[in-house]
Amino acid sequence: MREAIRLSRDKMRCGAGGPFGAVIVRKGKIIARGWNRVTSANDPTAHAEITAIRAACRKLKTFQLDGCELYTSCEPCPMCLSAIYWARLKMVFYANTRRDAARIQFDDNFIYGEVSRPVSRRKIPMNQLLRPEALKVFAEWKIKTDKIAY
């Protein structure tokens, strides 16, 4: 956890992005580090947890991080929480809470609320188009014999 906190402080101070750091550990050893690069990479998805997950997957040459733990300087936002589940991390440790983050203008309560709303009631309009055409691709995937399931 101290390494995640160190990354959050050092990368914030050098202008890489917001005050967030993360490390991924496997069998007691750090295998990947990540920090917030939203502003330095012009990438709204470059949160510390996401950049750490990307680095760990590249290093291990896999898209799942079974058996790995994430240490992050702050409770994960909704996007990072989803990525944690997709990556199949076995455990998460965090330092600051989402309420601590809200106090410094990193407030994700709006997004938590939007996720739970019906699609028709979200702030960003979402309109369904061409479902029958898209369903044909899903049908093809279902019978594909050489797919890599995840």
Side-chain angles (χ1 to χ4, degrees):
M1 182 59 78
R2 285 190 179 95
E3 178 63 4
I5 294 168
R6 183 194 68 76
L7 284 167
S8 73
R9 179 185 56 248
D10 292 355
K11 299 304 181 177
M12 173 200 61
R13 286 178 179 171
C14 77
F20 305 97
V23 296
I24 295 181
V25 174
R26 184 175 179 208
K27 297 179 183 175
K29 296 190 191 266
I30 294 174
I31 60 162
R33 291 169 171 80
W35 54 90
N36 184 286
R37 298 177 188 177
V38 170
T39 56
S40 60
N42 294 315
D43 179 354
T45 69
H47 290 198
E49 297 90 339
I50 301 289
T51 61
I53 288 168
R54 290 173 182 165
C57 288
R58 275 192 308 274
K59 181 172 185 167
L60 297 177
K61 296 178 174 50
T62 184
F63 54 86
Q64 293 184 344
L65 299 173
D66 309 67
C68 295
E69 301 165 345
L70 173 73
Y71 292 77
T72 180
S73 65
C74 188
E75 183 178 355
C77 75
M79 176 184 68
C80 293
L81 182 61
S82 296
I84 288 162
Y85 278 99
W86 279 114
R88 313 278 196 291
L89 288 154
K90 77 173 186 178
M91 189 171 289
V92 175
F93 299 92
Y94 64 92
N96 292 316
T97 68
R98 69 193 230 198
R99 285 165 193 75
D100 297 329
R103 283 193 280 278
I104 60 165
Q105 274 65 63
F106 290 95
D107 189 354
D108 298 322
N109 280 334
F110 169 74
I111 298 170
Y112 280 105
E114 285 293 291
V115 169
S116 64
R117 287 182 188 273
V119 172
S120 63
R121 293 190 49 220
R122 292 184 180 155
K123 298 289 183 198
I124 296 176
M126 298 192 176
N127 301 294
Q128 188 176 31
L129 298 172
L130 303 175
R131 181 173 180 245
E133 193 172 320
L135 279 173
K136 291 176 186 174
V137 180
F138 277 14
E140 188 176 328
W141 171 261
K142 186 175 181 178
I143 61 171
K144 184 174 172 49
T145 58
D146 64 341
K147 65 186 169 195
I148 299 172
Y150 59 97

